[in-house]
Amino acid sequence: MLEIDGLTVAYGGNTALKDVSLSVERGTIACLLGSNGAGKSTLMNTIAGLQTPGRGRIMVDGTDVAQWTPRRRVRHGVALVPEGRQLFGDLTIEENIRLGGYTRRGRFDDELRDIYRMFPRLAERRRQLCKSLSGGEQQMVAISRALMAKPRLLLLDEPSLGLAPVLIRDVMQLVRDINAQGITVFLVEQNAHLALRISDHAFVLEKGRIVKSAAARDLMQDKELTAAYLGTA
């Protein structure tokens, strides 16, 4: 579903990504691990079209989208849930969710019903302003907004950031549920333990370079990686 080849991104006089190459198989969950400042969000934003690469290819379902606009990538099946959620606080839950369908035509009634079945709490409060929601509820809205675009590739940038531990586990289960619908998921996640447990494959990014790529279960046994990213938890 996703193949990146020789991707280099620079801005502000710094090279954020250096010759990054990786691939994510269709129908799987892959996670990207790395310390703060490693370039993880830059990679996600570049895949989504929010950052322009200096060189390299971004193949989505066999098509190079590296020079496409974000809008065209959404139409091609790529949706991003950005770090920090980036919702419109003065709009309601439903208004924010409907914005995810901006590249499509129609009333989206069927899609909304599906989303509200997945998130009954949002259905109950759909007329409430987003700025009044908890962090966990806002994350549900952000994911719902992305799902309205009917993506084949869902990019999730730090979905558990700022959430209580019990909610983090709920989000990880939600990622599994979304993947079970046939959506390929590429995930950046600070909770490396849980990310590896739900992922099929994992990559480690250090200073803008991919330094490890392996099955997630194998990386969980990697003592060097455990010491660097997983601690003793």
Side-chain angles (χ1 to χ4, degrees):
M1 179 57 72
L2 173 67
E3 184 174 359
I4 296 173
D5 181 30
L7 191 67
T8 297
V9 177
Y11 56 88
N14 298 313
T15 301
L17 298 175
K18 307 169 186 176
D19 197 30
V20 169
S21 297
L22 58 83
S23 62
V24 178
E25 295 297 320
R26 188 187 314 277
T28 64
I29 301 174
C31 66
L32 181 67
L33 307 178
S35 58
N36 290 337
K40 303 185 301 298
S41 290
T42 297
L43 180 55
M44 288 290 176
N45 289 336
T46 304
I47 297 170
L50 304 178
Q51 188 73 43
T52 303
R55 61 182 175 86
R57 298 191 306 163
I58 304 172
M59 308 291 292
V60 177
D61 203 16
T63 301
D64 189 355
V65 304
Q67 301 304 316
W68 287 12
T69 63
R71 179 187 182 97
R72 190 176 177 190
R73 296 187 205 198
V74 171
R75 285 177 169 169
H76 191 61
V78 180
L80 169 68
V81 179
E83 181 181 357
R85 299 178 277 275
Q86 304 297 324
L87 299 175
F88 293 90
D90 289 324
L91 297 183
T92 66
I93 288 173
E94 185 161 310
E95 286 170 338
N96 271 275
I97 293 173
R98 283 183 176 273
L99 286 173
Y102 80 102
T103 62
R104 302 168 53 222
R105 294 181 179 179
R107 291 175 54 83
F108 314 125
D109 292 339
D110 291 341
E111 290 86 348
L112 277 171
R113 278 193 292 269
D114 290 342
I115 285 171
Y116 286 148
R117 277 196 292 266
M118 186 180 298
F119 300 105
R121 189 184 310 177
L122 299 186
E124 296 167 0
R125 307 171 70 179
R126 61 185 180 274
R127 305 303 178 196
Q128 187 170 333
L129 297 183
C130 274
K131 64 184 178 183
S132 67
L133 303 178
S134 68
E137 291 165 341
Q138 288 187 8
Q139 189 61 64
M140 293 178 193
V141 176
I143 293 173
S144 298
R145 180 181 60 188
L147 292 177
M148 279 292 286
K150 305 293 282 186
R152 291 173 291 152
L153 173 63
L154 181 64
L155 308 172
L156 291 167
D157 193 356
E158 299 283 10
S160 74
L161 188 65
L163 302 186
V166 64
L167 293 178
I168 292 174
R169 294 183 182 276
D170 289 344
V171 168
M172 292 299 110
Q173 182 58 53
L174 174 61
V175 173
R176 280 178 162 164
D177 293 342
I178 291 170
N179 178 245
Q181 298 174 24
I183 299 173
T184 304
V185 177
F186 191 25
L187 168 76
V188 167
E189 177 51 52
Q190 62 179 348
N191 192 317
H193 282 284
L194 289 180
L196 288 173
R197 285 174 188 161
I198 69 167
S199 296
D200 301 290
H201 200 90
F203 307 94
V204 179
L205 191 68
E206 286 186 3
K207 298 179 180 179
R209 296 183 183 273
I210 298 291
V211 296
K212 288 184 182 291
S213 172
R217 62 179 178 275
D218 293 337
L219 281 187
M220 291 188 75
Q221 306 303 319
D222 187 314
K223 293 182 179 180
E224 181 182 343
L225 180 126
T226 300
Y229 297 104
L230 305 185
T232 58

